[in-house]
Structures are given as C-alpha cells and as structure tokens.
Amino acid sequence: MPSLAESYSDRANELLARAWTVNTPIVAQLAPILGASVARGEVIHTFGSGHSEIIAREIVGRAGGLVCITSINDPTAGFIENLVGYGTALAERYDRQYELRAGEVVIVISNSGKNSSPIEVALHAKKKGCVVVALTSLAMSQTAKTVHPGGRNLHAIADFTLDNGGVPGDTILQSTPEIATGPTSTFVGASLLNWLMLSTMEWLKDRGHDLPVLRSQNLPGAIEHNRAVGAKYKYRLSKQLA
C-alpha cells in the first residue's frame, strides 16, 4: 500500500498536469495582455487573503521574475477577510499609495472564491478599469455560496479565470475516515503563476522588449542590477528592493 506522501505525489502531479492542459489556452490569452502592460512601463498587482497570500507573494520580488510585480498586503493575514467592506478599504488604501491604473492587471487568488476580501479587491480593480484575473478552484467557486452581499463569487467577477483544479476543501487524501489531508492549492497555484510569468516574458522577448528581471541577491552584482531594473518602479512596489 503506498504511503500518504507517495499517494499525494501521484495525485497532486496528476492535478498539475490537468491544470497545465486546462489553463494553457487562458495563459496564451493573458500573456499578450500582461506583456503589453509591462512594455508600457506598468506594474502587475497580486492579492491573496489568508493562505492564498503565499501564492500571491510567489511572484513578488522573485529572483528570475519580473521586477514590476507588487502585492496588496493584508496585515491581518486574512483574519477578518469576511468583514464586509474590509477588502474595499484595503484596495482603496493600496490604490492611494501605489496606484491601480486602468489597463493594468490585478491577479486575485482565492481557493474558494467565496470570501469577501478577494471579491472586494476584484470589484475595486474593475472599477478602476484594471483587468482582473482570478486564480481559484472552479469546483469550489462555482458551488460555494459567497459571503459577500453582492451575491457573486470571484470567478463571476473576473475577466479571466485560472483554475487550480482543486477539490472542495482543498484536500485530496483521507488519512482516516474522519481526517482529510493533502492540500494542493499552493502547489498548483504557484505553478500557474510561474507559467503565466514565463509566457509573459517570452512574449516580451519575442517582440524585442526589455526584460526587467531580478537576479538572486546572493549573486555578485545582483543588488546593483536589481536596483537598476527597478528604478522606474521605485514608488509603485509594495515590497521594496534591497
């Protein structure tokens, strides 16, 4: 009988392969949108509430990633994500400080797609004329009742949706009849964002645009390089460069 870890590896990688197949057409649509935005000197914004913040931060300030990515941070780490109005206040405060500009892309991550804060961030971004990309589990977002009074889940608000293929509850294994385990949303979600970023960089490269890509600050000269490529974004990044 396979161990839990072995079973998880097999099933999670099946989900990853399915996510690649399902989302490749959406990534292909999004890469030119993100690429054109980067070429215009704009930034890409991310938001995730609670555990989804880990995924949102995956591509922010990342060695080998685009420097022009910034995140809307929740200081409560999702503790009050279902307080109606809180997500709007977060987005408005971030907007005042870093700006959400029409035509820029905002990636909102919520595995369930039903919680108030990510929905309100998406709604504020739409109001500002941004392109909203949802990263969610469609199996949950299409079936779980939203807690937001607007009545819509995240996928119904977004312009594009990336589906992590996860199951309701985000657990793919039964440790015992009573205990479910084996979450997949972070594993697949981070991969989806990296596929999207790589496709965006490829679009830029193929059209002769500069690639404002960060280097690991552990490499010689990297800090100076990162400051140079990030100079024009200096006042728009919520995570400052070293």
Side-chain angles (χ1 to χ4, degrees), residues 35 37 41 46 63 79 99 108 115 119-120 133 154 172 176 184 205 224 233 239:
S37 178
T46 69
F79 183 69
E99 293 187 68
V108 181
N115 294 322
I119 288 170
E120 290 180 349
V133 178
L154 181 60
I172 57 173
T176 72
T184 58
K205 177 176 174 288
E224 292 75 16
Y233 307 104
K239 181 182 178 182

Side-chain angles (χ1 to χ4, degrees), residues 79-90 114-121 123 146-151:
F79 183 69
I80 55 174
E81 66 182 351
N82 284 323
L83 176 64
V84 174
Y86 177 66
T88 300
L90 271 181
K114 73 180 189 66
N115 294 322
S116 185
S117 284
I119 288 170
E120 290 180 349
V121 169
L123 288 170
T146 181
V147 302
H148 192 261

Side-chain angles (χ1 to χ4, degrees), residues 58-147:
E58 164 66 15
I59 56 172
V60 177
R62 179 60 128 158
L66 293 167
V67 68
C68 50
I69 305 176
T70 179
S71 61
I72 304 167
N73 298 318
D74 176 4
T76 76
F79 183 69
I80 55 174
E81 66 182 351
N82 284 323
L83 176 64
V84 174
Y86 177 66
T88 300
L90 271 181
E92 289 176 344
R93 181 182 180 185
Y94 173 90
D95 191 8
R96 287 193 299 272
Q97 186 168 4
Y98 302 108
E99 293 187 68
L100 290 168
R101 297 177 183 173
E104 292 185 335
V105 176
V106 181
I107 303 170
V108 181
I109 301 105
S110 171
N111 188 59
S112 70
K114 73 180 189 66
N115 294 322
S116 185
S117 284
I119 288 170
E120 290 180 349
V121 169
L123 288 170
H124 181 79
K126 293 276 284 188
K127 184 173 74 174
K128 294 302 298 280
C130 298
V131 177
V132 174
V133 178
L135 199 172
T136 188
S137 162
L138 276 177
M140 286 200 71
S141 192
Q142 290 176 335
T143 58
K145 182 176 173 56
T146 181
V147 302

Side-chain angles (χ1 to χ4, degrees), residues 224-236:
E224 292 75 16
H225 166 85
N226 293 345
R227 288 173 180 167
V229 297
K232 72 176 182 179
Y233 307 104
K234 186 175 180 181
Y235 300 107
R236 301 206 63 206

